[in-house]
Amino acid sequence: MNVIITGGTGFIGQKLVEYLEGIRKTKDGPGINISYPETTFTDLTNLEDTHAYFQSRCHYWSGDIDVVFHLAGVTGNVKSHGLCPVGSFIDNTLMGLNVLRACYGNKVKKVVSIVASCAYPSEKLVTYECGSQMEEK
């Protein structure tokens, strides 16, 4: 099984890589190939870069990509996203769209996509005006 994990070095991605590598070490898992693009070499907001990365994996593995876990995204906290809310939204949307296009173009069998850019505390919901200086209302 050939697996690509975008965001493989992120919070969720690291756990998924560890899990799949653990399976690979068992008697049932030696056929798992795992790859995750590094942001220094692959810009997922660029369709050509994304497609080229997927094609390189098909060539390297001499086979199709079976599963893509799309976990990459611009992350931060409430304040950082509040300072530039449109930028992270556009980048995350472009990455998701480009990954789906590359999956389609490379006949990927399964895609799992998770998009999260920040989390809010459960105790108290803090709201901010768009473009404000992040002061509590």
Side-chain angles (χ1 to χ4, degrees), residues 30-104:
I32 299 176
N33 297 309
I34 305 166
S35 180
Y36 44 92
E38 296 183 37
T39 55
T40 53
F41 300 112
T42 306
D43 178 6
L44 296 177
T45 64
N46 179 291
L47 179 58
E48 290 78 23
D49 274 10
T50 306
H51 193 66
Y53 178 79
F54 278 55
Q55 287 183 324
S56 73
R57 294 296 85 200
C58 287
H59 178 73
Y60 178 76
W61 288 328
S62 299
D64 294 335
I65 301 164
D66 297 300
V67 182
V68 170
F69 292 93
H70 175 50
L71 310 175
V74 177
T75 60
N77 58 35
V78 176
K79 184 173 183 177
S80 67
H81 287 296
L83 295 173
C84 188
V86 175
S88 58
F89 173 78
I90 289 172
D91 285 346
N92 287 335
T93 302
L94 281 173
M95 281 188 262
L97 183 59
N98 291 341
V99 166
L100 288 175
R101 285 177 169 170
C103 288
Y104 179 78

